Amino acid sequence: MIRAGVLTLQGAAPEHALSLRAAMREEGQEGEVVAVRGPDDLEGLDCLVLPGGESTTIAKLLQRSGMMGPIREMAASGTPMMGTCAGCVLMAKQGDDEVKRTGTELLGLMDMRVSRNRFGRQRESFECRLEVEGLDRAFPAVFIRGPVIEECWGRCRPLAYFDGKAVMVRQGSLLALSFHPELSTDKRIHRMLLDMVPRT
Ligand code: GLN
């Protein structure tokens, strides 16, 4: 029985919940998906998704709800997490001038520097087939004003590139993606997250 959380403050949370359920079904894994709105919802989670949306807004809501500290502790203790798009921005240790200008507090979980809104404006969203390390076939990746991972260091390693820039990285049991795997019918990236949960 796996207990997966989806941060549900703003943004694409319901799509991630559906994707996690589908991924559990594909894996033949029993489990439940919890909508995380406050620190109490983090109790007993085996993994957590930080969805896309607006990183500025999500950061403010994380501060207000008192979840910055508890999420940092969970990551430090090895709980698998996946941040997509705005979630990827929040997982970074360093942001760009836009992050600084808006005074956005990052969770700072991963050894990487990100630039926001680097893949076009909303109407220029696009889909492409992306080669991802660890997946046997290309992944249909949907980009919606996603961040670019400009640089990663330490234990943070790129798993996929687009236009010469890293768009998916892994650091231990933490994954960060510039794109939106919850908008594809392909559930292999959500399964990757579930596979990082130690089975007892
Ligand atoms: N532009 C958003 C941000 O940086 C991310 C967009 C998204 O999550 N689709 O917060």
Side-chain angles (χ1 to χ4, degrees):
M1 174 82 178
I2 214 168
R3 206 171 147 84
V6 180
L7 189 68
T8 308
L9 297 175
Q10 189 262 341
E15 293 83 355
H16 273 295
L18 290 171
S19 294
L20 284 167
R21 284 196 197 96
M24 285 175 189
R25 273 198 302 278
E26 284 181 18
E27 299 248 307
Q29 170 74 52
E30 282 206 47
E32 61 177 341
V33 181
V34 178
V36 174
R37 297 193 171 88
D40 292 350
D41 302 322
L42 295 168
E43 291 294 319
L45 290 185
D46 295 305
C47 62
L48 178 66
V49 171
L50 309 171
E54 275 304 316
S55 50
T56 46
T57 307
I58 298 174
K60 283 198 194 97
L61 296 172
L62 276 172
Q63 287 171 329
R64 204 174 298 167
S65 59
M67 283 197 282
M68 284 280 186
I71 291 177
R72 288 182 182 127
E73 281 162 27
M74 280 171 71
S77 69
T79 305
M81 289 187 193
M82 173 166 78
T84 63
C85 211
C88 167
V89 173
L90 294 173
M91 288 179 89
K93 286 200 172 150
Q94 292 179 16
D96 58 0
D97 288 346
E98 189 58 14
V99 169
K100 293 191 192 102
R101 193 187 60 76
T102 52
T104 305
E105 181 184 348
L106 303 178
L107 283 162
L109 310 179
M110 298 180 75
D111 297 334
M112 61 176 177
R113 180 167 58 85
V114 295
S115 285
R116 287 182 64 200
N117 301 339
R118 288 293 301 276
F119 287 112
R121 304 209 62 79
Q122 205 86 23
R123 62 188 173 79
E124 289 156 0
S125 302
F126 65 95
E127 180 173 334
C128 71
R129 301 207 51 90
L130 203 65
E131 293 298 333
V132 175
E133 196 183 308
L135 297 184
D136 53 351
R137 288 168 285 111
F139 187 88
V142 178
F143 287 84
I144 308 172
R145 285 197 311 143
V148 151
I149 299 157
E150 298 280 7
E151 196 189 338
C152 52
W153 60 91
R155 290 193 309 122
C156 187
R157 283 197 323 109
L159 297 184
Y161 290 92
F162 182 81
D163 253 0
K165 295 281 191 187
V167 290
M168 177 170 177
V169 292
R170 177 170 179 172
Q171 179 172 335
S173 51
L174 305 176
L175 286 173
L177 289 63
S178 304
F179 52 95
H180 288 262
E182 78 284 7
L183 297 181
S184 308
T185 50
D186 192 322
K187 299 304 165 207
R188 287 177 295 161
I189 291 181
H190 286 84
R191 290 175 66 173
M192 218 186 243
L193 176 71
L194 297 179
D195 287 343
M196 288 196 272
V197 175
R199 302 293 148 92
T200 44

mmCIF file of all heavy atoms in Angstrom, residues 51-56 84-87 89 116-117 144-147 180, ligand 1:
data_model
loop_
_atom_site.group_PDB
_atom_site.id
_atom_site.type_symbol
_atom_site.label_atom_id
_atom_site.label_comp_id
_atom_site.label_asym_id
_atom_site.label_seq_id
_atom_site.Cartn_x
_atom_site.Cartn_y
_atom_site.Cartn_z
ATOM 1 N N PRO A 51 3.216 20.117 -8.266
ATOM 2 C CA PRO A 51 2.738 20.322 -9.640
ATOM 3 C C PRO A 51 3.148 21.662 -10.250
ATOM 4 O O PRO A 51 3.720 22.516 -9.567
ATOM 5 C CB PRO A 51 1.220 20.257 -9.492
ATOM 6 C CG PRO A 51 0.933 20.555 -8.087
ATOM 7 C CD PRO A 51 2.166 20.313 -7.271
ATOM 8 N N GLY A 52 2.803 21.816 -11.528
ATOM 9 C CA GLY A 52 2.990 23.082 -12.207
ATOM 10 C C GLY A 52 1.902 24.066 -11.809
ATOM 11 O O GLY A 52 0.933 23.708 -11.143
ATOM 12 N N GLY A 53 2.076 25.299 -12.213
ATOM 13 C CA GLY A 53 1.152 26.377 -11.852
ATOM 14 C C GLY A 53 1.957 27.659 -11.929
ATOM 15 O O GLY A 53 2.685 27.861 -12.889
ATOM 16 N N GLU A 54 1.869 28.500 -10.919
ATOM 17 C CA GLU A 54 2.729 29.681 -10.848
ATOM 18 C C GLU A 54 3.621 29.548 -9.617
ATOM 19 O O GLU A 54 3.124 29.521 -8.495
ATOM 20 C CB GLU A 54 1.888 30.960 -10.755
ATOM 21 C CG GLU A 54 1.445 31.488 -12.103
ATOM 22 C CD GLU A 54 2.604 31.732 -13.054
ATOM 23 O OE1 GLU A 54 3.645 32.288 -12.642
ATOM 24 O OE2 GLU A 54 2.480 31.331 -14.241
ATOM 25 N N SER A 55 4.918 29.481 -9.852
ATOM 26 C CA SER A 55 5.833 29.246 -8.729
ATOM 27 C C SER A 55 5.744 30.363 -7.689
ATOM 28 O O SER A 55 5.859 30.112 -6.485
ATOM 29 C CB SER A 55 7.261 29.074 -9.225
ATOM 30 O OG SER A 55 7.615 30.109 -10.104
ATOM 31 N N THR A 56 5.522 31.608 -8.149
ATOM 32 C CA THR A 56 5.408 32.738 -7.205
ATOM 33 C C THR A 56 4.242 32.494 -6.247
ATOM 34 O O THR A 56 4.379 32.636 -5.033
ATOM 35 C CB THR A 56 5.162 34.043 -7.980
ATOM 36 O OG1 THR A 56 4.150 33.788 -8.973
ATOM 37 C CG2 THR A 56 6.404 34.529 -8.673
ATOM 38 N N THR A 84 7.216 19.345 -11.165
ATOM 39 C CA THR A 84 7.042 19.569 -12.597
ATOM 40 C C THR A 84 6.787 21.052 -12.850
ATOM 41 O O THR A 84 5.967 21.664 -12.174
ATOM 42 C CB THR A 84 5.867 18.742 -13.157
ATOM 43 O OG1 THR A 84 4.652 19.153 -12.541
ATOM 44 C CG2 THR A 84 6.060 17.263 -12.885
ATOM 45 N N CYS A 85 7.502 21.601 -13.808
ATOM 46 C CA CYS A 85 7.332 22.987 -14.233
ATOM 47 C C CYS A 85 7.500 23.963 -13.065
ATOM 48 O O CYS A 85 8.603 24.115 -12.568
ATOM 49 C CB CYS A 85 6.009 23.131 -14.972
ATOM 50 S SG CYS A 85 6.056 24.397 -16.230
ATOM 51 N N ALA A 86 6.441 24.606 -12.574
ATOM 52 C CA ALA A 86 6.606 25.490 -11.422
ATOM 53 C C ALA A 86 7.191 24.706 -10.239
ATOM 54 O O ALA A 86 8.013 25.228 -9.473
ATOM 55 C CB ALA A 86 5.272 26.114 -11.031
ATOM 56 N N GLY A 87 6.797 23.445 -10.102
ATOM 57 C CA GLY A 87 7.340 22.583 -9.038
ATOM 58 C C GLY A 87 8.836 22.385 -9.187
ATOM 59 O O GLY A 87 9.567 22.320 -8.193
ATOM 60 N N VAL A 89 10.861 24.610 -10.538
ATOM 61 C CA VAL A 89 11.458 25.890 -10.103
ATOM 62 C C VAL A 89 11.625 25.872 -8.582
ATOM 63 O O VAL A 89 12.696 26.179 -8.046
ATOM 64 C CB VAL A 89 10.568 27.094 -10.526
ATOM 65 C CG1 VAL A 89 11.105 28.398 -9.936
ATOM 66 C CG2 VAL A 89 10.462 27.188 -12.041
ATOM 67 N N ARG A 116 13.098 30.761 -15.197
ATOM 68 C CA ARG A 116 11.649 30.597 -15.399
ATOM 69 C C ARG A 116 11.225 30.977 -16.814
ATOM 70 O O ARG A 116 11.865 31.772 -17.474
ATOM 71 C CB ARG A 116 10.887 31.518 -14.441
ATOM 72 C CG ARG A 116 10.908 31.096 -13.015
ATOM 73 C CD ARG A 116 10.071 32.065 -12.207
ATOM 74 N NE ARG A 116 8.669 32.019 -12.601
ATOM 75 C CZ ARG A 116 7.797 32.975 -12.366
ATOM 76 N NH1 ARG A 116 8.157 34.073 -11.765
ATOM 77 N NH2 ARG A 116 6.546 32.850 -12.764
ATOM 78 N N ASN A 117 10.056 30.444 -17.201
ATOM 79 C CA ASN A 117 9.346 30.878 -18.422
ATOM 80 C C ASN A 117 10.226 30.904 -19.663
ATOM 81 O O ASN A 117 10.184 31.852 -20.447
ATOM 82 C CB ASN A 117 8.749 32.281 -18.205
ATOM 83 C CG ASN A 117 7.781 32.301 -17.048
ATOM 84 O OD1 ASN A 117 7.253 31.261 -16.651
ATOM 85 N ND2 ASN A 117 7.556 33.464 -16.483
ATOM 86 N N ILE A 144 4.737 23.906 -21.165
ATOM 87 C CA ILE A 144 3.879 25.100 -21.047
ATOM 88 C C ILE A 144 4.644 26.147 -20.238
ATOM 89 O O ILE A 144 4.676 26.079 -19.010
ATOM 90 C CB ILE A 144 2.548 24.772 -20.325
ATOM 91 C CG1 ILE A 144 1.842 23.579 -20.970
ATOM 92 C CG2 ILE A 144 1.628 25.997 -20.330
ATOM 93 C CD1 ILE A 144 0.631 23.077 -20.189
ATOM 94 N N ARG A 145 5.269 27.044 -20.911
ATOM 95 C CA ARG A 145 6.057 28.098 -20.248
ATOM 96 C C ARG A 145 6.973 27.516 -19.161
ATOM 97 O O ARG A 145 7.046 28.011 -18.038
ATOM 98 C CB ARG A 145 5.129 29.148 -19.624
ATOM 99 C CG ARG A 145 4.503 30.065 -20.658
ATOM 100 C CD ARG A 145 3.935 31.316 -20.031
ATOM 101 N NE ARG A 145 3.108 31.024 -18.882
ATOM 102 C CZ ARG A 145 3.038 31.745 -17.790
ATOM 103 N NH1 ARG A 145 3.777 32.825 -17.676
ATOM 104 N NH2 ARG A 145 2.230 31.432 -16.816
ATOM 105 N N GLY A 146 7.636 26.435 -19.512
ATOM 106 C CA GLY A 146 8.453 25.734 -18.520
ATOM 107 C C GLY A 146 9.797 26.396 -18.274
ATOM 108 O O GLY A 146 10.258 27.218 -19.071
ATOM 109 N N PRO A 147 10.418 26.026 -17.158
ATOM 110 C CA PRO A 147 11.755 26.540 -16.864
ATOM 111 C C PRO A 147 12.826 25.722 -17.579
ATOM 112 O O PRO A 147 12.601 24.576 -17.954
ATOM 113 C CB PRO A 147 11.875 26.323 -15.354
ATOM 114 C CG PRO A 147 11.028 25.113 -15.090
ATOM 115 C CD PRO A 147 9.901 25.162 -16.088
ATOM 116 N N HIS A 180 5.295 18.690 -18.466
ATOM 117 C CA HIS A 180 4.100 18.257 -17.729
ATOM 118 C C HIS A 180 3.743 16.799 -18.039
ATOM 119 O O HIS A 180 2.908 16.555 -18.917
ATOM 120 C CB HIS A 180 2.902 19.142 -18.111
ATOM 121 C CG HIS A 180 2.974 20.521 -17.557
ATOM 122 N ND1 HIS A 180 2.321 20.908 -16.416
ATOM 123 C CD2 HIS A 180 3.655 21.604 -17.988
ATOM 124 C CE1 HIS A 180 2.578 22.173 -16.159
ATOM 125 N NE2 HIS A 180 3.382 22.629 -17.104
HETATM 126 N N1 GLN B 1 5.806 29.886 -15.554
HETATM 127 C C1 GLN B 1 5.504 29.152 -14.394
HETATM 128 C C2 GLN B 1 6.427 29.475 -13.249
HETATM 129 O O1 GLN B 1 7.600 29.673 -13.415
HETATM 130 C C3 GLN B 1 5.527 27.678 -14.663
HETATM 131 C C4 GLN B 1 4.504 27.304 -15.689
HETATM 132 C C5 GLN B 1 3.862 25.994 -15.443
HETATM 133 O O2 GLN B 1 3.986 25.402 -14.360
HETATM 134 N N2 GLN B 1 3.134 25.528 -16.405
HETATM 135 O O3 GLN B 1 5.944 29.530 -12.165
#
